[in-house]
Amino acid sequence: MSGDLRIGIAGLGTVGGGVAKLLRDQADLLAARCGRTIRVTAVAARDKAKDRGVDLSACRWHDDARALAGDPDVDVVVELIGGSDGVARELIEAAIAAGKPVVTANKALLALHGTVLAKAAETAGVPLAYEAAVAGGIPVIKALREGLAANRVKRVHGILNGTCNYILTTMRETGREFADVLADAQKLGYAEADPSFDVDGIDAAHKLAILSSVAFGRELDFAGIHVEGIRHVSALDLAFAEQLGYRIKLLGIAGVTDHGIEQRVHPCMVPLAAPIAHVEGVFNAVFVEAEPVGNVLLTGRGAGEGPTASAVVADILDIARGHHAPVLGLPPSRLAPGETAPMGRHYGAYYIRLMVKDQPGVIADVAAAFRDNAVSMESVLQQARDPSGPVPVVITTHETEEAGMMRAIQRIAALGSVVEPPRLIRIEAL
Amino acid sequence: MSGDLRIGIAGLGTVGGGVAKLLRDQADLLAARCGRTIRVTAVAARDKAKDRGVDLSACRWHDDARALAGDPDVDVVVELIGGSDGVARELIEAAIAAGKPVVTANKALLALHGTVLAKAAETAGVPLAYEAAVAGGIPVIKALREGLAANRVKRVHGILNGTCNYILTTMRETGREFADVLADAQKLGYAEADPSFDVDGIDAAHKLAILSSVAFGRELDFAGIHVEGIRHVSALDLAFAEQLGYRIKLLGIAGVTDHGIEQRVHPCMVPLAAPIAHVEGVFNAVFVEAEPVGNVLLTGRGAGEGPTASAVVADILDIARGHHAPVLGLPPSRLAPGETAPMGRHYGAYYIRLMVKDQPGVIADVAAAFRDNAVSMESVLQQARDPSGPVPVVITTHETEEAGMMRAIQRIAALGSVVEPPRLIRIEAL
């Protein structure tokens, strides 16, 4: 490959504008790095008049992003429209069919259709690059697919959603409740007006599906991921976590178990000694446990114009250099099926908080429910006394199978002395 | 490129044996990842009979490693002999001259001759790969040269020597002194019989020279690095650091300043809030500050068979895939000269510990020395009282220029009331 590399950008929002600006600002450096000039020749966006801080008047403008795939002046299609279907998907499919390399930051699309798209790209022999889709500016896809490619991965876990990490960090630091902190995060632009994609764990699960596929060499299985968000984490749980030597983080975890690959996104109690416990605010982190390299932790900003543009342009540079690795790390025919171990077989420790009437016999009833389901308790904490109202009881358990734990919780929830649904947070031995 | 990729390994110590084993154990995975079979066809080592845990009897054995460059059954030369000159250098030069890609873990060689070797490799059009030379299993060269290649780096700093970090961590945790902990580390195999390469900061400086070249697109300048080791760090300083909210780490730091690129390796007071303060034991870490990505931190094991083999085989895989980026991130003609800002122009804060006679007037003399050199003190601590012997006085300063600080220290050291050479540790605002 030689000659200019001509880029078509679909979507000129914050990230699209950032990519155009970075390609302009670093044009000289990038040309030196890859021996070719990289320039934006076409764009697709609604409002041509809008000021994006970069002059794109010399580009061809398309109203329909899908036209970029057929534009003879476009060598590489950069898809920054978003959405798991519709125009974004049609554009990527058309670009692949036209033999044009694709760079995308679209995690939803990859999580749901990544296997099919990877197969189409491999068949067509064109790169499909997506560094920006997972953990923003952290080059984690490159690390897994290239830098750590000689390793057998045992587990990968990470803080994959900056909005949730910001909310949990702020809740812990201020003692305020979820709804209150979310409202502030929305004002500050750290959370969307409709926050459910972030706070319900869906965005983290999209990223985990991709990470897990690349880490373990398997087809994507987004549907198999157990997903819980952070809406039910309370200031009380954060305070108890601190007291027990933990910090609460929303983690995405994928790992090898006796029952297959498990994939789960949920709030976790993380020991304070774990480095990931200290990744705070909007930062993301990915922790890889692999043989023979051992443990590798990568931390950085997971979203925003700068980090995302950094990752998108790195992908463009790889394409300019002619670098081309299998989309998911292995040829499609070598990918294992995307099957996920059932959550009932998850084996781990638990934190449970009950709100109970302060009367004799409650702990005995609770303990019996655990015993009858072969769950072994590690500690029981009932600090407050208040005969007039409910008081918190906090239990931690030894490692046990989730199915038994869920039966125990169901029985405990039905006790007359338990006045709120039990809160359960898994404890991770990291 | 296609067909088998035939590897010649020079040096079958721990790392060389580890590479041969990893290539054998992961042969199938690696072939799937790059579409080619990678196999070891030749080796150079002294003792053919020695058990290395891997059967290499089918390989061609060379007594003289330099012969690998001319072996027609070798496509890629892996240099794991070590040493900044002699056979290692001659082998690499011969391989490049023969048009054979080279993979090396040799930081000393690269630190001293990296620019010349990079130019030779570029001229010959062959890859010279060295991921294993810096921070072991952490794919930091790939991150800087590819994953973050669109960024302008402002500063890079890191824990680049696991032996020093292990010693400092153990000293802090146990309150024991350097010599004592070093002796233990030697028994455990974490330190060499001759530890000076590690504890005097030379190994970290080798790695910093390489990192700095790749981060800032400049020729290497090992000679320009200001290097101090950890021999003079005492248990008392570690205790004071803790009290002041710092942790002492041996860092390698390279950054853009008003006087050019500064490069320095020395013990640092690192704020406890900095993530790198929590990188303990034999772990390494590299922290990159760059625009537009922001801050990225990479952590992992920096040495040992597994991590080093992981990095060497990743380089081999890149070569098998035909990936080829400029050795130092830019073509040699585009590299800036390797000039380092003089240490006297360093601008930063300082921790100084004096051992003084417990008598009136000492602090006044010390304060006058600082004042006359335009150094502004932030805090003075004299907790112990002991009229019969020396007591520690700890001073922290605001940011100031190093040259003035050194003049002040020289004057303070000459005071009759100061009974030991002052101890100075730079405070880093990370």
Side-chain angles (χ1 to χ4, degrees):
Chain A
M1 288 226 269
S2 61
D4 287 7
L5 190 72
R6 299 165 305 169
I7 309 296
I9 302 178
L12 285 177
T14 310
V15 173
V19 169
K21 266 183 277 181
L22 190 55
L23 287 172
R24 177 197 63 188
D25 295 344
Q26 299 283 55
D28 182 54
L29 175 74
L30 295 168
R33 289 207 193 284
C34 68
R36 307 172 66 181
T37 298
I38 300 170
R39 56 195 178 88
V40 181
T41 49
V43 292
R46 291 228 181 91
D47 183 0
K48 193 167 174 179
K50 189 175 158 193
D51 180 15
R52 295 174 173 92
V54 53
D55 179 11
L56 296 166
S57 58
C59 297
R60 187 174 301 170
W61 281 70
H62 295 280
D63 291 327
D64 185 342
R66 289 164 290 203
L68 287 171
D71 187 327
D73 290 330
V74 168
D75 300 314
V76 176
V77 170
V78 178
E79 185 278 302
L80 301 169
I81 300 167
S84 60
D85 278 285
V87 174
R89 185 179 183 182
E90 289 165 31
L91 168 59
I92 290 179
E93 287 173 342
I96 291 170
K100 295 188 180 182
V102 173
V103 177
T104 178
N106 193 331
K107 43 234 165 202
L109 176 64
L110 286 165
L112 294 175
H113 310 298
T115 307
V116 171
L117 291 173
K119 285 180 179 172
E122 301 280 347
T123 304
V126 299
L128 167 59
Y130 52 91
E131 184 63 79
V134 181
I138 310 172
V140 61
I141 298 299
K142 185 172 276 286
L144 282 170
R145 217 171 56 167
E146 303 176 29
L148 304 174
N151 289 271
R152 199 164 296 277
V153 178
K154 294 185 290 185
R155 192 155 90 137
V156 55
H157 72 264
I159 295 173
L160 300 174
N161 184 276
T163 304
C164 287
N165 206 46
Y166 171 82
I167 291 173
L168 290 173
T169 299
T170 306
M171 286 176 70
R172 181 182 63 75
E173 286 174 353
T174 62
R176 289 154 62 205
E177 290 291 356
F178 171 80
D180 191 19
V181 174
L182 171 61
D184 266 16
Q186 286 169 318
K187 274 180 223 151
L188 289 165
Y190 292 162
E192 306 281 338
D194 176 0
S196 66
F197 236 56
D198 290 316
V199 304
D200 293 330
I202 300 159
D203 176 73
H206 284 153
K207 294 165 183 168
L208 183 69
I210 300 168
L211 263 187
S212 167
S213 169
V214 177
F216 300 108
R218 56 204 291 276
E219 298 183 350
L220 288 108
D221 182 26
F222 172 71
I225 300 178
H226 174 88
V227 186
E228 297 171 31
I230 63 166
R231 287 186 199 268
H232 294 297
V233 176
S234 73
L236 195 56
D237 295 318
L238 285 157
F240 277 121
E242 214 67 2
Q243 192 178 335
L244 293 163
Y246 296 109
R247 202 152 276 183
I248 299 179
K249 295 289 177 190
L250 182 78
L251 296 186
I253 303 171
V256 177
T257 77
D258 292 345
H259 307 285
I261 302 285
E262 67 170 5
Q263 296 188 115
R264 48 199 172 91
V265 170
H266 52 71
C268 295
M269 293 269 179
V270 177
L272 277 173
I276 210 165
H278 302 276
V279 176
E280 301 282 30
V282 296
F283 275 78
N284 280 20
V286 177
F287 193 94
V288 182
E289 297 161 67
E291 280 298 332
V293 78
N295 297 341
V296 174
L297 174 66
L298 313 175
T299 309
R301 286 188 180 269
E305 177 183 328
T308 311
S310 167
V312 167
V313 176
D315 278 346
I316 293 173
L317 194 65
D318 270 353
I319 291 166
R321 282 170 168 164
H323 291 192
H324 187 174
V327 177
L328 299 172
L330 286 171
S333 63
R334 287 292 304 263
L335 295 171
E339 283 165 13
T340 301
M343 196 60 192
R345 306 306 295 267
H346 169 66
Y347 190 77
Y350 296 81
Y351 159 100
I352 290 120
R353 177 174 58 81
L354 310 173
M355 296 305 291
V356 304
K357 291 178 194 158
D358 190 5
Q359 63 192 28
V362 177
I363 306 257
D365 290 344
V366 169
F370 283 130
R371 177 202 61 211
D372 294 347
N373 287 288
V375 175
S376 168
M377 296 198 290
E378 187 197 46
S379 71
V380 182
L381 213 66
Q382 185 191 341
Q383 292 167 325
R385 301 303 311 266
D386 183 358
S388 68
V391 294
V393 169
V394 165
I395 297 139
T396 62
T397 77
H398 289 289
E399 296 203 324
T400 189
E401 203 175 69
E402 174 125 345
M405 169 58 70
M406 290 302 165
R407 285 193 298 272
I409 289 293
Q410 216 166 9
R411 179 164 141 192
I412 289 165
L415 291 173
S417 52
V418 172
V419 300
E420 284 182 17
R423 293 291 163 82
L424 175 152
I425 299 179
R426 293 172 192 85
I427 298 173
E428 295 300 318
L430 299 177
Chain B
M1 290 226 269
S2 61
D4 287 6
L5 191 73
R6 299 164 305 169
I7 309 295
I9 302 178
L12 286 176
T14 309
V15 174
V19 169
K21 266 183 278 180
L22 189 55
L23 287 172
R24 178 197 64 191
D25 294 346
Q26 299 283 55
D28 183 53
L29 175 73
L30 294 169
R33 288 207 192 283
C34 68
R36 307 171 67 180
T37 298
I38 300 171
R39 56 196 178 86
V40 181
T41 50
V43 292
R46 291 230 180 88
D47 184 359
K48 192 167 175 177
K50 189 175 158 193
D51 181 14
R52 296 176 172 90
V54 53
D55 180 9
L56 296 167
S57 60
C59 296
R60 187 173 302 168
W61 281 70
H62 295 281
D63 291 326
D64 185 341
R66 289 165 290 203
L68 287 171
D71 187 327
D73 290 332
V74 168
D75 300 314
V76 176
V77 170
V78 178
E79 185 277 304
L80 301 170
I81 299 167
S84 60
D85 279 285
V87 174
R89 185 179 183 182
E90 289 166 29
L91 167 60
I92 290 178
E93 287 172 343
I96 290 170
K100 294 187 179 180
V102 173
V103 177
T104 178
N106 193 331
K107 45 230 163 203
L109 177 64
L110 287 165
L112 294 176
H113 310 298
T115 307
V116 171
L117 292 172
K119 287 180 179 173
E122 300 282 347
T123 304
V126 298
L128 167 58
Y130 53 91
E131 183 64 80
V134 181
I138 310 172
V140 63
I141 299 298
K142 186 173 275 288
L144 282 171
R145 218 171 53 169
E146 303 176 30
L148 304 175
N151 289 270
R152 198 164 297 276
V153 178
K154 294 185 288 184
R155 194 154 90 138
V156 54
H157 71 263
I159 295 173
L160 300 173
N161 183 276
T163 303
C164 287
N165 206 46
Y166 170 82
I167 290 173
L168 290 173
T169 300
T170 307
M171 284 176 70
R172 182 181 62 77
E173 285 173 353
T174 62
R176 288 155 63 206
E177 291 291 355
F178 171 80
D180 190 20
V181 173
L182 170 62
D184 266 17
Q186 286 171 319
K187 275 181 221 149
L188 290 165
Y190 292 161
E192 306 282 338
D194 176 359
S196 65
F197 237 56
D198 290 318
V199 303
D200 293 329
I202 301 159
D203 176 73
H206 285 152
K207 295 166 183 165
L208 182 68
I210 301 168
L211 264 187
S212 167
S213 170
V214 177
F216 300 107
R218 55 204 292 275
E219 299 184 349
L220 289 109
D221 181 26
F222 173 70
I225 300 178
H226 173 87
V227 186
E228 295 170 35
I230 63 167
R231 287 186 200 268
H232 294 296
V233 175
S234 74
L236 195 56
D237 295 319
L238 286 157
F240 277 120
E242 214 68 4
Q243 193 179 331
L244 293 164
Y246 296 110
R247 201 152 278 183
I248 298 178
K249 295 288 178 191
L250 182 78
L251 297 188
I253 302 171
V256 177
T257 76
D258 292 344
H259 308 285
I261 302 284
E262 68 170 5
Q263 297 189 110
R264 48 200 172 91
V265 171
H266 53 71
C268 296
M269 294 269 177
V270 177
L272 277 171
I276 210 164
H278 302 276
V279 176
E280 300 281 30
V282 297
F283 274 78
N284 281 20
V286 177
F287 193 94
V288 182
E289 297 159 67
E291 279 299 330
V293 77
N295 298 340
V296 175
L297 173 67
L298 313 174
T299 309
R301 287 188 180 269
E305 177 182 328
T308 311
S310 167
V312 168
V313 176
D315 277 346
I316 294 172
L317 194 65
D318 270 351
I319 291 165
R321 282 169 168 166
H323 291 193
H324 187 175
V327 177
L328 298 172
L330 285 172
S333 63
R334 287 293 303 262
L335 295 171
E339 282 164 14
T340 300
M343 196 62 189
R345 306 306 296 266
H346 169 66
Y347 191 78
Y350 295 80
Y351 158 98
I352 290 120
R353 176 174 57 80
L354 310 173
M355 296 305 290
V356 305
K357 291 180 194 156
D358 190 4
Q359 61 192 29
V362 177
I363 305 255
D365 291 343
V366 168
F370 283 130
R371 177 203 60 210
D372 295 347
N373 288 287
V375 175
S376 167
M377 298 198 291
E378 186 195 46
S379 70
V380 182
L381 215 65
Q382 183 191 340
Q383 291 168 325
R385 300 303 311 265
D386 184 357
S388 68
V391 293
V393 170
V394 165
I395 297 140
T396 62
T397 76
H398 290 290
E399 297 202 326
T400 189
E401 203 175 66
E402 175 125 343
M405 170 58 70
M406 289 304 163
R407 284 192 297 271
I409 289 292
Q410 217 167 4
R411 177 164 144 192
I412 289 165
L415 292 172
S417 51
V418 172
V419 301
E420 281 182 21
R423 293 293 163 80
L424 176 152
I425 299 177
R426 293 174 193 83
I427 298 173
E428 295 300 320
L430 300 176

